[in-house]
Amino acid sequence: MRHRSGFLLFLAVLGLDQLTKWSALAWLDPVRPVEVTPFFNLVLVWNRGVSFGMFARAPEWGPWALVLLTLVIAAVLIVWLRRETRALSRAALWLVLAGAAGNLIDRLRFGAVVDFLDFHVQDYHWPAFIVADSAIVGGRALLLLDGIVLSRAAVQNAPEKG
């Protein structure tokens, strides 16, 4: 039962990611951003690299190397997920896997990831991102929270053996 709810979370995040990317591709103009608020735009950006556009200028085989790397990381996360006993860490791993799957689908379909959420302060723009990126970052943050803060608190509150 513990994996069923996690898999549903995975499907929900992946579905939301793909739906929002489909919407961005259908309605956004690649040349003209849509200003939503004074600090948020919708833009259509193709990210051929990884986080923050790193490695975007990789050779022609670069996207395939990223596909392979994603598959290896996903396999490691699945092994970790099967062994993980803490609920928060399991949910975090499902989030990271959903984000990775969303980006993997884009790389296989387009050779790049569709990004479209653009937050900015005046002329300083945070790199455009998407639901998949948010799931990966949020999942990693939850893993850190569970692994560092909550695990440490559990150890400190455990009754002494003796």
Side-chain angles (χ1 to χ4, degrees), residues 52-151:
F52 311 116
M54 292 186 300
F55 310 121
R57 299 195 199 292
E60 196 174 290
W61 51 265
W64 297 109
L66 292 174
V67 164
L68 180 61
L69 179 62
T70 301
L71 291 171
V72 169
I73 291 171
V76 169
L77 292 176
I78 289 168
V79 169
W80 182 2
L81 181 64
R82 293 179 53 81
R83 295 177 179 174
E84 184 57 61
T85 59
R86 295 186 313 270
L88 185 59
S89 285
R90 283 196 315 269
L93 290 167
W94 282 112
L95 286 172
V96 173
L97 283 167
N103 287 342
L104 179 65
I105 289 169
D106 282 15
R107 288 190 199 291
L108 291 172
R109 288 182 65 201
F110 309 117
V113 175
V114 179
D115 287 338
F116 60 89
L117 301 174
D118 172 36
F119 285 90
H120 60 92
V121 175
Q122 294 179 354
D123 289 335
Y124 174 75
H125 291 258
W126 187 256
F129 63 98
I130 47 175
V131 172
D133 299 334
S134 300
I136 292 169
V137 170
R140 290 184 346 204
L142 289 174
L143 282 170
L144 284 172
L145 174 70
D146 194 35
I148 294 173
V149 177
L150 300 179
S151 293

